[in-house]
Amino acid sequence: MAPSGSRSIKRSCQTVLYWIPVIFITLIVAWSYYAYVVQLCIESIDNIGQKIVYLLAYHVVFILFTWAYWQTIFTKPMNPLKEFHLSYSDKELLEREDRGESQQEILRRIAKDLPIYTRTMSGAIRFCDRCQLVKPDRCHHCSVCDKCILKMDHHCPWVNNCVGFSNYKFFMLFLAYSLLYCIFITATDLQYFIKFWTAEGRTHDRLLEYLNGLPDTQAKFHIMFLFFAASMFSVSLASLFVYHCWLVCKNRSTLEAVRAPAFRHGADKNGFSLGLSKNFRQVFGDEMRYWPFPVYSSLGDGCSFPTCLVNQDPEQPTSPGHNPTPNKTVVGESHQFPAKPLRESQSRLLNSAPSWTENGGAEDKERRGTSNPAMAIENET
């Protein structure tokens, strides 16, 4: 009982510690709301029209920012489906084998009917010992969450959550709206910040007013500190947002930018890149009306992804009567996994304008004119 109780206390302490960055950001945002709405707009701005415009614009940005932050924090990361987990008999068989090559033979047999194309750097099947599963493409094990996360980008302490397939769009919008929030505050607060420094009267007089606790001085203090905080956050958020925009354009995760995914032919940093438009739509979806809002609209299932590779994986089975295509993005032709029709938006992503293939364009056009064979997993979220 003692070890179990000790572990429980340790987990509780870790949970509290993990939430500290989120609480810190929440307090900063709550203070910024008070400083901007009450101290700047209500107390300091005399022009009624300007006050209304500032308050309306501020609340629009504030709502979108907090909505995206909430979604990023509380959207659970997606884990691999049960098809990727080892059965009880496979686990026993794997445990009995003490040679690495024999274990790889077992894993290759298990992965044969799964839409898996990436390998380890040594060419082996990617397997998670802790979760006891064959890792889907772009899936990684998070040491903080102690789970395998689909299309894991990174574990972010500021949201106390893994950023992955299920919430990457929310994370991008969180960065965008938090940057817009800080820039808006900086721009609208600037003239009043300047007035504070150029106000008539000596510094000694302002200090005396501050010590006396006059409301006017209190408002000026909030305006000054609000400008500094918003400016500093703008710089850091801008660099992070630009970096993740580059990742979206290249269809890479942070982990893949550090280490390129390995396929049977070797590492390929552009293996999942389909071109700017398709890369963007994988994260934000096909329907433009959903792009600005933190609602789920990403394409795919998180377990399989189209690639720009032109060589068919020889380990993947070919259906009877099926002519192999040079582009192995249409994973459903080789795998009945499971036999569910692809969503229309996903089907367009996989089969429209194959700009990501390097050759065989005429043959692909003729084949697309006669059939639409794409089958894949339906979105589980």
Side-chain angles (χ1 to χ4, degrees), residues 343-357:
R343 250 180 9 195
E344 181 182 354
S345 59
Q346 295 173 315
S347 179
R348 288 200 302 274
L349 175 65
L350 293 176
N351 294 284
S352 64
S355 58
W356 58 89
T357 57

Side-chain angles (χ1 to χ4, degrees), residues 169-217:
K169 176 192 174 183
F170 305 150
F171 179 73
M172 287 294 299
L173 291 178
F174 160 63
L175 293 180
Y177 288 131
S178 58
L179 177 60
L180 181 61
Y181 181 74
C182 292
I183 292 176
F184 177 81
I185 289 177
T186 303
T188 54
D189 187 34
L190 177 60
Q191 59 177 316
Y192 299 95
F193 173 79
I194 295 174
K195 285 181 181 179
F196 170 76
W197 288 107
T198 59
E200 295 182 359
R202 295 176 300 173
T203 305
H204 177 69
D205 296 333
R206 292 200 299 269
L207 179 60
L208 290 177
E209 290 177 357
Y210 176 74
L211 294 175
N212 291 331
L214 295 178
D216 182 57
T217 304

Side-chain angles (χ1 to χ4, degrees), residues 123-145:
I125 298 294
R126 299 171 66 242
F127 177 73
C128 180
D129 291 319
R130 291 190 63 83
C131 299
Q132 290 291 292
L133 56 82
V134 176
K135 292 182 182 179
D137 292 344
R138 315 184 80 176
C139 173
H140 297 275
H141 187 90
C142 176
S143 58
V144 179
C145 300

Side-chain angles (χ1 to χ4, degrees), residues 81 83-84 113-115 301 303-304 332 335-340 375-378:
L81 301 177
E83 285 84 357
F84 293 89
D113 296 322
L114 297 174
D301 50 54
C303 292
S304 59
H335 308 280
Q336 303 301 317
F337 175 78
K340 294 181 180 179
M375 300 286 288
I377 307 175
E378 193 177 48

